[in-house]
């Protein structure tokens, strides 16, 4: 099987989220998890998906077995392994046999490039290591496999003994590897070191050899090192979604790919696929059961969030004022954040974003003053957009709150081993006083049940409203139990709508009441209202 010459106008993306990414502390994929992620990566259009090391554990062996029955539209599934062991023939090495039996068209194998690794870790000779590399690649090629060779510890080895490091690459080329991937395995290299080394390697190997980069992030330069390698001529990049990986992680493909396409004008994904990157990043985080990094470049939810008033004002005049790209290109969106740093432009923009158009500057200024005063008391509106829009609504002269609090009482009891709580609440709803009580397993539960009991006869949609999360934060902890408490509640309606509200105060129940009341008021008065309103 002949190897075509590298395409210098495009870059092969080799995703190792399922193998290197699985080495992240705190991640443990099931076989179903790995298949779900692989399908998503195939839809995205990466060239290769490294599924795991079939000779290392039963889970990876099962993954490859199940992957063989799947239809892969764009990506090639890759089995990963090492060169044969010293003094063994490839056919006699169980891990090499497992690579063949994985049934993939493509195999990726790693070998040692550093004299230190050969002598101290493999405990073999430099000549034997060269044979291990060449013979393993040759054997796999004879089995009909395409082979990608990962030169482990290349940059460290190149600094120790450049001549020997190059010999290891040439051994893989003689064996028939279709690409030679230079690995910064310890993640200690810097961009200018990587760029210089890649240039020298390409000069030695010649233009017919496809050179790649596999960077770890131990200096925080994983992405920068990858881009530096591509600038030097590499046209194969390895990394993981969200930068998952051993220790500090791998080069983050969610940042590498848009840098290649938008900054270096190189094709890395099929046309139109870049717009799905934000979705893929969050999908993989969800399957990995890790919180998304909201501040990640390009795909984090805060990547195009604007908080300072001067920024938002400028953004209203020109979309490029404080953004380096249109966020929609990577499937993201611009957001306005409301806080004590906001100007009236933030409020006007946020109101429009949430469906309330034509909020005038005077109203925006009043809301800003309210927000600054309330944040001084302990509120935080950055993650509580529903509470922000209620501040706007309440300034409208024709707005009428759907309910108002007259009185509440919460009693918490312990009798033996049994704990209970009871809440009574008196509301004014549509000019009618409503007095209800409810029991719960704690004061917040009882409070929530009593409030629902009072509201549901008047507003039937209340039965579908659910609390998705309830967060409590103590602000000034030096005050001990007298500290101000902030409560943030995330809500959803059982379908697609989600919103968040905030309350704060030295009394945790009062802070909870404020967040609960905002949540129900928003659902009743705002979600049930026309989508676009005029407030002035």
């Amino acid at each position: 099987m002949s190897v075509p010459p590298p395409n210098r106008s495009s870059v092969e993306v080799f995703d190792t989220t399922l193998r290197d990414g699985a080495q992240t502390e705190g991640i443990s994929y099931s076989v179903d998890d790995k298949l779900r992620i692989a399908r998503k990566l195939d839809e995205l259009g990466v060239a290769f998906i490294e599924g795991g090391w079939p000779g290392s554990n039963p889970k990876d062996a099962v993954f490859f077995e199940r992957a063989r029955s799947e239809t892969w539209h764009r990506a090639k599934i890759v089995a990963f392994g090492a060169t044969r062991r010293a003094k063994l023939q490839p056919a006699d090495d169980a891990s090499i046999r497992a690579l063949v039996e994985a049934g993939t068209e493509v195999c990726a194998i790693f070998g040692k490039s550093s004299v230190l690794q050969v002598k101290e870790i493999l405990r073999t000779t430099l000549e034997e290591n060269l044979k291990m590399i060449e013979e393993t690649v040759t054997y796999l090629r004879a089995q009909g496999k395409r082979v990608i060779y990962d030169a482990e510890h290349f940059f460290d080895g190149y600094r120790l003994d450049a001549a020997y490091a190059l010999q290891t690459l040439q051994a893989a080329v003689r064996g028939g590897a279709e690409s030679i991937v230079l690995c910064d395995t310890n993640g200690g290299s810097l961009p200018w070191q990587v760029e210089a080394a890649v240039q020298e390697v390409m000069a030695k190997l010649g233009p017919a050899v496809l050179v790649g980069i596999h960077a770890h992030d131990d200096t925080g330069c994983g992405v920068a090192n990858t881009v530096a390698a591509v600038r030097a001529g590499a046209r194969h990049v390895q990394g993981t979604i969200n930068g998952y990986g051993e220790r500090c992680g791998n080069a983050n493909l969610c940042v590498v790919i848009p840098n290649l396409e938008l900054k270096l004008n190189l094709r890395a994904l099929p046309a139109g696929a870049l717009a799905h990157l934000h979705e893929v990043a969050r999908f993989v985080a969800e399957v990995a059961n890790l919180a998304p990094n909201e501040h990640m470049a390009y795909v984090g939810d805060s990547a195009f969030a604007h908080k300072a008033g001067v920024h938002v004002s400028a953004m209203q005049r020109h979309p490029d004022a404080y953004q380096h790209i249109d966020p929609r290109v990577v499937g993201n969106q611009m957001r306005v954040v409301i806080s004590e740093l906001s100007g009236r432009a933030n409020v006007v923009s946020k109101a429009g974003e949430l469906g309330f158009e034509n909020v005038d500057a005077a109203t925006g200024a009043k809301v800003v003053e309210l927000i600054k005063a309330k944040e001084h008391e302990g509120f935080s509106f950055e993650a509580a957009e529903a509470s922000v829009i209620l501040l706007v609504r309440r300034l409208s002269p024709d707005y009428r709150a759907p309910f108002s609090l007259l009185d509440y009482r919460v009693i918490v009891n312990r009798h033996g081993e049994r704990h209970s709580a009871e809440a009574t609440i008196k509301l004014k709803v549509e000019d009618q006083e409503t007095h209800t009580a409810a029991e719960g397993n704690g004061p917040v539960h009882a409070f929530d049940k009593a409030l629902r009991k009072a509201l549901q006869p008047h507003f039937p949609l209340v039965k579908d409203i659910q609390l998705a999360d309830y967060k409590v934060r103590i602000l000034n902890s030096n005050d001990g139990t007298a500290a101000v408490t902030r409560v943030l509640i995330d809500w959803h309606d059982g379908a697609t709508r989600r919103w968040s509200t905030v309350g704060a105060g030295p009394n945790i129940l009062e802070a909870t009441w404020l967040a609960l009341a905002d949540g129900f008021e928003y659902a009743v008065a705002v979600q049930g209202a026309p989508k676009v309103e005029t407030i002035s």
Side-chain angles (χ1 to χ4, degrees), residues 10-11 13 40-47 73-75 257 261 266-277 329:
S10 65
V11 177
V13 176
K40 203 72 172 175
L41 294 170
D42 183 51
E43 291 174 11
L44 183 65
V46 300
H73 300 283
R74 291 173 167 170
I257 291 171
E261 294 217 346
L266 294 168
R267 174 65 67 195
L269 295 175
L274 197 60
H276 299 287
L277 200 58
V329 171

Side-chain angles (χ1 to χ4, degrees), residues 470-501:
Y470 174 86
K471 306 182 186 78
V472 176
R473 182 179 175 190
I474 304 302
L475 301 185
N476 43 344
S477 56
N478 290 337
D479 291 342
T481 53
V484 170
T485 301
R486 180 188 299 151
V487 171
L488 184 71
I489 300 179
D490 295 332
W491 307 75
H492 67 85
D493 65 356
T496 59
R497 288 182 171 179
R498 295 181 176 273
W499 63 100
S500 300
T501 56

Side-chain angles (χ1 to χ4, degrees), residues 447-458:
F447 213 160
D448 178 49
K449 287 178 68 176
L451 185 53
R452 291 172 184 271
K453 191 174 179 180
L455 294 176
Q456 192 166 325
H458 304 274

Side-chain angles (χ1 to χ4, degrees), residues 137-280:
V137 177
T138 300
Y139 177 79
L140 291 172
R141 293 282 286 144
Q143 303 303 308
K145 305 294 184 182
R146 296 168 56 187
V147 180
I148 295 169
Y149 178 69
D150 288 354
E152 191 184 44
H153 293 102
F154 175 78
F155 295 97
D156 293 336
Y158 192 74
R159 286 190 285 273
L160 283 174
D161 188 331
Y164 184 76
L166 285 167
Q167 288 179 48
T168 66
L169 306 184
Q170 290 161 341
V173 172
R174 288 194 302 271
E178 70 174 57
S179 54
I180 304 298
V181 182
L182 311 180
C183 302
D184 189 28
T185 309
N186 289 351
S189 298
L190 295 172
W192 53 90
Q193 296 171 320
V194 169
E195 187 164 4
V198 171
Q199 288 174 339
E200 291 163 13
V201 165
M202 293 191 65
K204 294 288 186 181
L205 297 184
V209 177
L210 179 62
V211 173
I213 179 69
H214 177 113
H216 283 255
D217 201 39
D218 298 72
T219 60
C221 291
V223 169
N225 285 340
T226 302
V227 172
V230 172
R231 271 177 44 88
R235 288 298 180 265
H236 170 111
V237 300
Q238 297 191 0
T240 60
I241 299 297
N242 298 327
Y244 297 153
E246 186 110 10
R247 305 184 311 276
C248 304
N250 285 44
N252 187 346
L253 289 178
C254 295
V255 183
V256 168
I257 291 171
N259 276 339
L260 297 180
E261 294 217 346
L262 303 177
K263 306 300 182 178
L264 299 186
N265 198 30
L266 294 168
R267 174 65 67 195
L269 295 175
L274 197 60
H276 299 287
L277 200 58
H278 176 266
E279 170 197 348
V280 171

Side-chain angles (χ1 to χ4, degrees), residues 165-396:
L166 285 167
Q167 288 179 48
T168 66
L169 306 184
Q170 290 161 341
V173 172
R174 288 194 302 271
E178 70 174 57
S179 54
I180 304 298
V181 182
L182 311 180
C183 302
D184 189 28
T185 309
N186 289 351
S189 298
L190 295 172
W192 53 90
Q193 296 171 320
V194 169
E195 187 164 4
V198 171
Q199 288 174 339
E200 291 163 13
V201 165
M202 293 191 65
K204 294 288 186 181
L205 297 184
V209 177
L210 179 62
V211 173
I213 179 69
H214 177 113
H216 283 255
D217 201 39
D218 298 72
T219 60
C221 291
V223 169
N225 285 340
T226 302
V227 172
V230 172
R231 271 177 44 88
R235 288 298 180 265
H236 170 111
V237 300
Q238 297 191 0
T240 60
I241 299 297
N242 298 327
Y244 297 153
E246 186 110 10
R247 305 184 311 276
C248 304
N250 285 44
N252 187 346
L253 289 178
C254 295
V255 183
V256 168
I257 291 171
N259 276 339
L260 297 180
E261 294 217 346
L262 303 177
K263 306 300 182 178
L264 299 186
N265 198 30
L266 294 168
R267 174 65 67 195
L269 295 175
L274 197 60
H276 299 287
L277 200 58
H278 176 266
E279 170 197 348
V280 171
R282 299 191 77 81
F283 176 87
V284 173
E286 182 68 26
V287 175
N289 199 29
L290 295 178
N293 178 359
E294 306 296 7
H295 298 278
M296 191 190 308
Y298 289 106
V299 298
D301 276 2
S302 295
F304 303 95
H306 303 278
K307 180 173 178 178
V310 66
H311 287 207
V312 176
S313 179
M315 287 292 296
Q316 288 182 330
R317 296 180 181 181
H318 197 286
D320 295 337
Y322 285 94
Q323 291 182 167
H324 67 113
I325 65 164
D326 181 345
R328 293 172 296 182
V329 171
V330 291
N332 211 337
Q333 61 182 353
M334 189 271 281
R335 293 191 304 114
V336 173
V337 177
I338 302 295
S339 77
E340 79 281 1
L341 299 179
S342 299
R344 60 190 180 188
N346 295 56
V347 175
V348 172
S349 180
K350 174 58 69 177
E353 181 185 318
L354 296 175
F356 297 91
E357 296 183 345
N358 302 321
V359 174
D360 64 17
T363 300
K366 290 177 184 176
V367 173
V368 168
E369 292 308 311
L370 275 173
I371 286 170
K372 290 180 177 180
K374 286 186 170 293
E375 294 218 348
H376 183 68
E377 296 170 10
F379 287 74
S380 177
F381 292 95
E382 288 188 29
E385 294 177 345
S387 289
V388 172
I389 208 61
L390 285 172
L391 290 178
V392 177
R393 288 293 304 272
R394 289 165 186 158
L395 289 175
S396 176

